[in-house]
Amino acid sequence: MSVQVTTGYGSLFSLGFGIGDIMTLITMARRKGNWLTASSGDVDFLEMLEQDEMSLLRRGGSVDMARFNKIWGRKLRTLMDNQPQAIEGPQAEEALGQLSRLEAYMTCIVAVLDEFAAERTAKLIVRLLLKQLLRTTERGDDLLASQFSNRLGAWRSNATARGLTVECQSIRTDLVTRQIIQPGLMPHGESEAMAKSLYWLLAESTDHFVTNSSDVVGVMICLEHLGFDILSVVGPGLDPDPPERACRVTYAPFAISGTENARFNTRIAMLLLRLPSTIVSLMNPQESLTTFPIDGLTANRCRLAWKEGAKSVQCLEIQVDIPDSARIKYAHDFRYKFVDRGTKVERTDEGVFKVVFAHALITNQEICQRLRDVLCKESEDVLNWVCGQTDDPISTNPRIEHYYALDKKRTEAFTVFQAFFMGYYYAIFLTIVYTSTLEMQTVDGGWGYGSAGFLATMRRYCRNSVDKGLSRQEVI
């Protein structure tokens, strides 16, 4: 397949792209796919199938293409000189070009799935969806096998360049905050169900889809916001009187019966099936754990614990160990070293000291005192149990044990402990990780309610490697 640039070079030059930048974009388009050649790649894809868009996307009128291109084709988001740039005006519109129907649909779907699922899950869903759409074509399977990675890369790049990725981040953050959808990423095992819902939207003729999945509902809400005007979504917590549209998705979550404790136990069990993921606002990170299924008192303790953990970093200095030229030659990267600037540890509670010694990069009196203040009501037995949840030498236990027993005292203590050390680690890493290029000041943490995996990883580092420092690769 030849790679064709769908916009004139002049518009790119006028936007400040140099010839080297343009050649890099074209090279990446050949290897991975990107926004610059997304349209021409989709045209070639259809030509090789000997199909047109409407033969694949059989539900017509899902998106008002003129309106969609006007909204998502007027601003180009890119990095120039390592700084984020949002370029508007006629040159940006010419550089982005007009999206075809297939390109618009798939760009939206990839953008949304990247927010709701891990990369391998999103990739599987898109592949399953395309296999369904192409199943009536003669060359569908062969062409999908050879072109899938390039098309996926082009749609993903297109979503970033046009701002759909940031919009999806904002929508999902709002849905999680309002508890419309569950926190965490969708389970990999639900990929087929998600692909089925998307196939219904693009190619089936029925006007009503019922789901008990909050992920399907979240994806459909995002697509509606991005431009799928044909959609309306109804269900608990949503607009009780949505506009009448051609396609309606009804959210009917499983009814949970039994006592209050039994219902809570079921909700926790469902949450623990999901991949851990927590939305962290870099402006108010202490709010990160307040979306967990915890009461108001525990939420307040978590806010305080996060702040106290972050303050503990004030007695720790980060230094950069730059290797000499000989060591650089042999692939030795520079490392971040951690130096104690606090007070020598005095006699302290055994349980508190055990937790700090296992998880802190540097153990001093200041961090021991701050942790003791936030866990002052916990018994030594509970603290020993908390510490034991991260003592996993191969990190095969991503969740803490005894959740199904619903030992509220222990699980609340673990959540407060988790908040303290997440505040501690984020305060450290945010001093050495450059985040100002993020258009939306939020990140997705690979941890969640009751997850011990990241803390177990840091515990192994504190045990085995802290004296050597952290390399750039380890930080990333």
Side-chain angles (χ1 to χ4, degrees):
M1 181 190 299
S2 63
V3 175
Q4 302 174 18
V5 179
T6 56
T7 182
Y9 292 121
S11 61
L12 295 177
F13 285 127
S14 65
L15 291 173
F17 288 89
I19 186 64
D21 299 323
I22 296 172
M23 292 308 298
T24 298
L25 286 170
I26 295 174
T27 300
M28 290 302 298
R30 290 194 181 101
R31 294 178 180 174
K32 301 288 187 180
N34 63 20
W35 65 271
L36 189 63
T37 57
S39 293
S40 65
D42 287 344
V43 170
D44 289 345
F45 187 73
L46 290 171
E47 286 181 354
M48 284 188 283
L49 285 171
E50 297 181 349
Q51 300 283 331
D52 60 23
E53 292 179 322
M54 297 313 297
S55 65
L56 302 181
L57 309 172
R58 292 183 289 279
R59 190 191 292 277
S62 297
V63 173
D64 180 339
M65 291 306 301
R67 180 171 175 269
F68 185 91
N69 276 307
K70 185 176 181 180
I71 294 173
W72 300 111
R74 62 189 180 190
K75 184 184 292 187
L76 172 62
R77 290 164 172 83
T78 186
L79 278 175
M80 299 179 72
D81 298 325
N82 292 320
Q83 293 295 324
Q85 302 288 335
I87 307 168
E88 296 185 75
Q91 289 87 2
E93 293 177 13
E94 183 182 351
L96 287 168
Q98 298 287 297
L99 290 129
S100 67
R101 191 172 299 276
L102 175 63
E103 186 184 1
Y105 287 18
M106 296 309 300
T107 296
C108 287
I109 287 170
V110 170
V112 175
L113 290 177
D114 279 346
E115 290 305 310
F116 281 79
E119 183 177 358
R120 76 183 186 105
T121 305
K123 185 176 181 179
L124 176 60
I125 294 168
V126 176
R127 185 183 289 275
L128 291 172
L129 173 61
L130 289 174
K131 288 191 72 169
Q132 279 287 93
L133 293 173
L134 301 175
R135 73 182 189 277
T136 59
T137 64
E138 183 178 350
R139 306 186 186 94
D141 286 345
D142 291 340
L143 189 58
L144 186 58
S146 64
Q147 298 300 319
F148 177 74
S149 294
N150 188 277
R151 293 295 81 225
L152 180 63
W155 295 326
R156 182 171 283 140
S157 173
N158 218 3
T160 301
R162 294 173 180 270
L164 280 80
T165 300
V166 172
E167 185 68 14
C168 290
Q169 291 174 351
S170 176
I171 296 168
R172 179 173 175 268
T173 298
D174 177 65
L175 293 174
V176 171
T177 302
R178 291 163 52 201
Q179 299 185 352
I180 303 297
I181 64 173
Q182 291 183 303
L185 302 178
M186 66 171 287
H188 187 72
E190 296 183 7
S191 300
E192 287 192 18
M194 180 64 76
K196 179 181 178 181
S197 71
L198 293 169
Y199 180 77
W200 166 82
L201 176 63
L202 301 187
E204 292 189 356
S205 57
T206 59
D207 61 1
H208 191 207
F209 190 89
V210 181
T211 181
N212 53 39
S213 167
S214 77
D215 296 302
V216 170
V217 167
V219 165
M220 293 298 174
I221 291 173
C222 275
L223 291 174
E224 179 188 359
H225 279 268
L226 294 181
F228 278 73
D229 305 314
I230 199 172
L231 267 174
S232 64
V233 185
V234 296
L238 301 172
D239 185 355
D241 188 26
E244 288 292 333
R245 290 177 177 163
C247 292
R248 172 166 291 202
V249 175
T250 298
Y251 180 31
F254 288 117
I256 302 174
S257 59
T259 64
E260 182 178 351
N261 281 343
R263 293 196 300 272
F264 180 73
N265 191 13
T266 302
R267 285 195 294 270
I268 295 300
M270 293 172 65
L271 177 60
L272 296 181
L273 291 173
R274 304 174 64 77
L275 291 176
S277 179
T278 298
I279 299 171
V280 180
S281 166
L282 299 183
M283 308 305 294
N284 294 290
Q286 69 275 7
E287 297 294 326
S288 302
L289 284 78
T290 58
T291 60
F292 289 1
I294 53 180
D295 59 28
L297 176 61
T298 306
N300 283 324
R301 291 181 67 195
C302 286
R303 292 187 184 94
L304 176 63
W306 187 290
K307 291 180 178 179
E308 291 300 307
K311 289 177 183 177
S312 300
V313 179
Q314 296 171 358
C315 296
L316 180 152
E317 181 181 335
I318 302 174
Q319 297 180 350
V320 179
D321 178 26
I322 302 176
D324 57 38
S325 58
R327 289 163 63 196
I328 292 176
K329 182 178 180 180
Y330 292 100
H332 287 276
D333 197 359
F334 70 78
R335 305 183 73 86
Y336 298 99
K337 293 291 188 72
F338 305 100
V339 180
D340 189 0
R341 297 301 184 207
T343 307
K344 186 177 179 179
V345 179
E346 302 170 358
R347 183 178 180 87
T348 190
D349 299 339
E350 183 177 331
V352 169
F353 179 80
K354 185 176 181 180
V355 172
V356 171
F357 189 73
H359 299 92
L361 298 175
I362 296 293
T363 301
N364 54 37
Q365 182 61 26
E366 285 76 11
I367 190 171
C368 288
Q369 182 62 50
R370 291 185 186 281
L371 183 64
R372 183 168 57 190
D373 289 345
V374 299
L375 292 176
C376 59
K377 294 185 178 181
E378 312 303 339
S379 68
E380 187 170 318
D381 179 59
V382 169
L383 290 176
N384 286 334
W385 176 85
V386 166
C387 196
Q389 302 313 296
T390 62
D391 191 14
D392 180 4
I394 56 174
S395 191
T396 57
N397 180 24
R399 301 285 189 178
I400 68 173
E401 58 189 30
H402 300 322
Y403 252 111
Y404 295 104
L406 285 181
D407 186 333
K408 189 175 180 181
K409 185 72 174 175
R410 295 189 178 199
T411 55
E412 286 180 355
F414 181 88
T415 305
V416 175
F417 148 78
Q418 184 182 28
F420 182 92
F421 276 99
M422 285 303 174
Y424 175 79
Y425 294 132
Y426 271 78
I428 291 171
F429 291 133
L430 288 176
T431 63
I432 55 181
V433 175
Y434 191 57
T435 61
S436 64
T437 58
L438 295 174
E439 186 169 350
M440 186 175 178
Q441 288 291 300
T442 62
V443 294
D444 283 332
W447 53 277
Y449 179 59
S451 64
F454 174 76
L455 294 167
T457 299
M458 293 306 300
R459 178 171 182 165
R460 289 199 308 276
Y461 171 78
C462 292
R463 178 188 299 157
N464 302 322
S465 307
V466 69
D467 292 338
K468 300 177 184 177
L470 278 170
S471 69
R472 285 187 300 174
Q473 288 85 353
E474 289 170 324
V475 170
I476 294 169

